[in-house]
Amino acid sequence: MNKINNFKPASKTAVNILKEHGYEAFLIGGSVRDFIMGLPIGDIDITTNAVPSQVKEAFRDFRVIETGIKHGTVTVLIQNEPIEITTYRREGAYSDNRHPDSVSFSDSLEDDVKRRDFTMNAVAYDFGSGFYDLTGGIEDIKSQTIRCIGEPSARFHEDALRILRALRFASVLGFRIEKKTSDAVHECRQLLANISAERIRDEFIKLICGKNAEKVLGEYYDVISVFIPEISPCVNFRQENRHHCYDVYTHTLKALGNCKPSAEIRLALFFHDIAKPVVARYDEKGEQHYYGHPEKSALLT
């Protein structure tokens, strides 16, 4: 494990304060995953058996923001660093495929780990005793594998945004999605219709800026077409023109994959030929032309 990038002092301060008040406290989530990978560490998440009122009391000398208190989450500002602290919890049914209908607090780290999305995001870390890996997350990180915790279909029915998060992680981290999880991504893709456009936009932009975007967008075009259905006619639409050797969608992905990871440029490339199937016409020699496709693609976009 590459531990070049250490956690910021504020995260250790937060854990120590909770422990001094008699509570358990672990770093968990993306920061632990990135720590194991030797990547720059971003947002810090802490999981604890302290309930929100106890967390607020423990940090009474700090600024505390009730960011999601009904779900057990508060944010504490330490040395100008936001530290998100969430109580161990169990979750009820997800009737909207996004948010749990009910949340109950737990005193068990295992309960909290089981309700998370992917094994790579469920490794807990204690500054004194090290890693607590209850789902095989460390091995999956080492093998660059994205795997749902438990039954993939159940995880995606709970929160359909996890479908797009799996693709985003595969693109940004260069990980592969293991078969059962991948099969469930395809099978459950229509659940994305229940997710807000804003959340989909945020995940999609991160996805297309990833180092593996070309491969992921190609393999999971059926998922992307749930929220951008206009790409469907582009898939396998042959460009019977001497200037092209790829179908429209493959051409689009080749262009996207060969430019710098700028959101503006990659979005422009993703949509630049989206109207070609609409305007395609053959001349008298049997060659295909796409007159007006830039303007029509802009309008369709």
Side-chain angles (χ1 to χ4, degrees):
M1 296 178 190
N2 184 353
K3 299 182 183 178
I4 294 173
N5 297 284
N6 292 319
F7 293 102
K8 294 178 181 178
S11 58
K12 191 167 187 177
T13 298
V15 168
N16 286 342
I17 288 173
L18 287 165
K19 287 187 171 182
E20 287 166 4
H21 283 78
Y23 306 118
E24 295 178 2
F26 299 90
L27 300 178
I28 200 165
S31 64
V32 178
R33 180 197 67 231
D34 293 343
F35 176 61
I36 293 170
M37 295 178 67
L39 298 175
I41 295 170
D43 296 340
I44 298 295
D45 293 317
I46 292 175
T47 187
T48 178
N49 60 343
V51 299
S53 61
Q54 293 169 328
V55 174
K56 289 169 66 177
E57 174 60 25
F59 291 94
R60 61 185 179 276
D61 296 329
F62 296 84
R63 185 182 176 197
V64 178
I65 305 165
E66 296 182 357
T67 43
I69 198 159
K70 75 173 184 176
H71 292 135
T73 301
V74 299
T75 299
V76 179
L77 291 178
I78 301 175
Q79 300 167 11
N80 292 319
E81 290 287 339
I83 309 292
E84 194 167 276
I85 302 174
T86 303
T87 306
Y88 300 158
R89 70 191 196 200
R90 304 183 192 91
E91 296 174 343
Y94 287 68
S95 57
D96 66 354
N97 301 124
R98 180 71 184 105
H99 304 98
D101 297 337
S102 63
V103 169
S104 60
F105 298 143
S106 169
D107 59 2
S108 166
L109 174 64
E110 185 175 1
D111 284 342
D112 192 73
V113 164
K114 285 180 178 178
R115 57 98 185 167
R116 294 178 179 269
D117 53 6
F118 308 112
T119 60
M120 65 180 186
N121 294 333
V123 182
Y125 181 74
D126 177 87
F127 286 103
S129 53
F131 297 103
Y132 286 73
D133 182 11
L134 306 178
T135 65
I138 292 176
E139 187 58 40
D140 281 341
I141 292 169
K142 288 180 178 179
S143 64
Q144 300 187 331
T145 301
I146 297 169
R147 186 190 314 274
C148 278
I149 295 171
E151 177 56 44
S153 179
R155 296 290 82 76
F156 294 146
H157 275 83
E158 288 169 351
D159 182 355
L161 189 63
R162 290 169 173 167
I163 295 168
L164 207 49
R165 280 170 57 83
L167 302 194
R168 188 250 292 182
F169 285 131
S171 176
V172 172
L173 298 176
F175 282 20
R176 70 175 183 90
I177 304 176
E178 66 88 23
K179 188 177 186 308
K180 283 187 67 176
T181 300
S182 179
D183 289 347
V185 164
H186 290 293
E187 292 165 5
C188 299
R189 65 187 184 277
Q190 292 299 337
L191 295 174
L192 285 169
N194 299 326
I195 302 301
S196 73
E198 292 80 7
R199 295 308 302 268
I200 287 177
R201 174 201 62 204
D202 292 347
E203 292 292 336
F204 181 66
I205 288 176
K206 292 174 185 176
L207 189 167
I208 66 168
C209 289
K211 60 186 177 183
N212 212 23
E214 180 183 339
K215 182 177 187 298
V216 172
L217 290 168
E219 186 173 349
Y220 295 95
Y221 66 85
D222 57 329
V223 179
I224 306 303
S225 68
V226 172
F227 53 91
I228 309 177
E230 293 82 1
I231 70 166
S232 292
C234 298
V235 177
N236 296 322
F237 188 91
R238 291 180 58 195
Q239 299 188 88
E240 297 179 3
N241 182 292
R242 58 190 147 169
H243 302 296
H244 292 282
C245 60
Y246 299 114
D247 66 73
V248 173
Y249 191 62
T250 302
H251 163 81
T252 293
L253 299 187
K254 292 290 183 185
L256 184 151
N258 282 280
C259 76
K260 65 181 182 180
S262 155
E264 291 80 7
I265 294 173
R266 289 199 169 184
L267 280 170
L269 285 171
F270 186 80
F271 289 107
H272 82 286
D273 276 350
I274 201 165
K276 271 191 172 179
V278 177
V279 303
R281 299 291 184 272
Y282 288 94
D283 64 17
E284 65 278 2
K285 298 179 181 178
E287 188 170 37
Q288 210 174 50
H289 298 280
Y290 317 98
Y291 300 122
H293 84 269
E295 295 81 8
K296 187 70 173 179
S297 291
L299 182 62
L300 191 56
T301 298

